[in-house]
Amino acid sequence: MSFSQKVLQWYQEHKRELPWRNTKDPYKIWLSEVILQQTRVVQGTPYYHKFVKAFPTVQDLANASEEKVLKLWQGLGYYSRARNLHATAKIVVTEYEGKFPDTYEGLKRLKGVGDYTASAIASISFGIPEPVVDGNVYRVLARYFGVEIPINSSQGIKYFKTLAREVMDRKNIRDYNQAIMEFGAIQCAPKKPYCLLCPLNDGCSALKENRVADLPVKLNKTKVKQRYFNYLVFLDPQMRTQLEQRKGKGIWQNLYQFPLVESEKLIDGEELRTQIQALDLENQIKSISLRNKEPVVHKLSHQHLHTRFWMVELAKDLKEGISWKQTIDFPVPVLIADFIKTFKI
DNA sequence: AATTCGGGGAG
DNA sequence: CTCCCAGAATT
């Protein structure tokens, strides 16, 4: 039996029932694929249900506000996915008569749709013989065929795409693409795969050479940058606070947060006070008190945010104050959501 | 070719 | 702690 046939047979016996497996609707396939980019199935599934319920069609998504989309996306991370999702929905509705492109090239032109996602939609929705290469596929192919080329080198990206194309089942690409990913996720797992029971253990190069743990090869560990955040949690006489939207480049674009003072290192109340003076606060400050003596360390994949929350009591009302209750309506980073959740006035 | 985008779960 | 997840866009 061929490589692809073995994978397909394993899939028939072991596949999970997932909500997007029962449709070919390109809208729902696209939605599921974007949600699952760099995201585990168990983490993404609740979001898929939320989005399908809130936006049954691409028109519903296009007609929504970006804030509503971001709010639904809150907690999933990589928020450019949500912004691009919304932008693409608008394009599909206004320029493509509500229909998704039915070619790989057409799909690839959509914002937030790269090589993997275009291949996934093309194959799953339209049966186009285009191989998907995600993290699972890299692992399965690298191990089975004993490929030592780093998967995140430009050479590796080309090599694995070509290899994936050679071994795919073009007659049944819809199932095959999902099968090899599922196989990588469940059977050929990153750590301690149970090779003894693997249907591919016969021809697996890595198993034969005892290098399962060494493949795939991956380069470049990102260095983590340390940042120091001081959030100003204003409270005016009406017990209202203030949120502002993050603009420009960097993390959490278009999400909301408390007014932020970033510093080069941990600072005390005195230093913070001088920083705030520069902001020319119109509302005079009655008091500043630190909520958390030990900074909350919020860890992103490439930066650690050492965060202090300062309660700033004001003598005068804020111009655009928000009642504490309303803060939960805004899309915010998990760091802020956790604080709002635990903070009781 | 490298870096930058989040958050969570497994080991 | 480290690694990695149905990756894409930007520099």
Side-chain angles (χ1 to χ4, degrees):
Chain A
M1 204 184 308
S2 68
F3 172 84
S4 64
Q5 290 307 305
K6 286 180 181 175
V7 171
L8 274 164
Q9 181 166 332
W10 177 93
Y11 183 60
Q12 283 185 349
E13 296 169 13
H14 298 92
K15 72 173 176 182
R16 294 169 288 185
E17 283 305 321
L18 301 176
W20 47 86
R21 288 225 211 273
N22 304 316
T23 182
K24 294 182 181 178
D25 179 359
Y27 168 64
K28 289 181 179 169
I29 299 300
W30 164 70
L31 181 59
S32 70
E33 292 300 343
V34 174
I35 286 173
L36 292 173
Q37 287 167 7
Q38 289 293 285
T39 304
R40 293 171 190 280
V41 167
V42 287
Q43 187 186 3
T45 299
Y47 286 84
Y48 175 79
H49 287 305
K50 281 200 297 183
F51 270 78
V52 168
K53 186 174 181 183
F55 313 118
T57 69
V58 67
Q59 284 82 7
D60 297 317
L61 179 55
N63 290 336
S65 66
E66 185 184 274
E67 247 185 67
K68 184 173 180 185
V69 176
L70 284 172
K71 184 62 190 177
L72 271 186
W73 199 273
Q74 181 179 310
L76 197 53
Y78 286 164
Y79 296 94
S80 66
R81 290 185 293 169
R83 298 191 302 271
N84 288 334
L85 191 82
H86 188 225
T88 290
K90 285 175 172 291
I91 298 286
V92 168
V93 166
T94 60
E95 296 184 25
Y96 296 90
E97 300 175 341
K99 296 184 195 298
F100 280 80
D102 58 0
T103 64
Y104 169 85
E105 291 77 13
L107 289 162
K108 185 97 163 36
R109 291 189 202 105
L110 303 175
K111 280 187 186 174
V113 177
D115 181 75
Y116 163 79
T117 304
S119 301
I121 302 171
S123 60
I124 296 172
S125 286
F126 304 116
I128 297 171
E130 193 68 30
V132 294
V133 184
D134 73 334
N136 295 307
V137 177
Y138 278 123
R139 186 168 53 254
V140 173
L141 295 180
R143 285 175 175 170
Y144 187 82
F145 294 101
V147 183
E148 297 183 63
I149 306 171
I151 62 174
N152 55 344
S153 65
S154 50
Q155 186 197 355
I157 292 169
K158 284 183 184 175
Y159 184 90
F160 280 96
K161 180 82 177 182
T162 301
L163 177 57
R165 194 180 298 285
E166 286 170 359
V167 302
M168 70 182 178
D169 182 353
R170 9 180 89 245
K171 301 287 189 208
N172 194 3
I173 193 66
R174 182 171 190 267
D175 284 337
Y176 171 77
N177 271 343
Q178 296 183 78
I180 188 168
M181 289 191 285
E182 189 81 340
F183 182 82
I186 308 293
Q187 178 69 41
C188 195
K191 292 165 186 172
K192 296 187 176 181
Y194 198 50
C195 300
L196 198 60
L197 280 184
C198 180
L200 291 183
N201 58 12
D202 205 5
C204 181
S205 168
L207 180 60
K208 185 179 176 185
E209 307 286 337
N210 194 21
R211 292 190 316 176
V212 173
D214 303 329
L215 294 174
V217 175
K218 200 171 181 180
L219 297 175
N220 306 335
K221 285 168 194 168
T222 62
K223 338 167 199 178
V224 177
K225 183 181 179 182
Q226 309 294 323
R227 300 178 70 180
Y228 301 90
F229 281 12
N230 297 277
Y231 280 119
L232 307 179
V233 184
F234 290 129
L235 279 180
D236 70 9
Q238 294 187 60
M239 298 303 280
R240 290 170 178 267
T241 190
Q242 186 177 332
L243 292 176
E244 58 186 21
Q245 193 173 28
R246 286 185 70 97
K247 288 298 187 180
K249 302 191 178 300
I251 59 174
W252 302 334
Q253 271 177 54
N254 294 6
L255 273 67
Y256 289 80
Q257 64 181 6
F258 298 106
L260 172 66
V261 175
E262 184 171 0
S263 50
E264 293 296 322
K265 52 184 177 59
L266 279 180
I267 58 176
D268 56 23
E270 282 304 313
E271 203 165 337
L272 180 65
R273 219 173 246 282
T274 62
Q275 297 269 345
I276 296 176
Q277 304 294 345
L279 295 177
D280 191 28
L281 249 319
E282 295 180 22
N283 321 70
Q284 39 185 194
I285 296 169
K286 285 176 67 178
S287 68
I288 297 179
S289 63
L290 179 59
R291 277 296 293 185
N292 55 321
K293 186 162 173 60
E294 281 307 305
V296 175
V297 184
H298 188 73
K299 294 178 177 177
L300 308 181
S301 49
H302 55 294
Q303 40 187 296
H304 289 180
L305 311 176
H306 302 260
T307 309
R308 278 177 162 168
F309 293 92
W310 302 83
M311 309 307 301
V312 182
E313 195 182 354
L314 300 175
K316 295 170 65 179
D317 282 332
L318 289 159
K319 283 177 184 172
E320 297 180 12
I322 299 164
S323 72
W324 195 258
K325 203 171 158 187
Q326 287 190 319
T327 58
I328 64 170
D329 296 332
F330 291 80
V332 298
V334 167
L335 174 62
I336 302 297
D338 285 348
F339 177 80
I340 292 175
K341 205 182 308 172
T342 60
F343 179 70
K344 309 293 181 203
I345 294 180

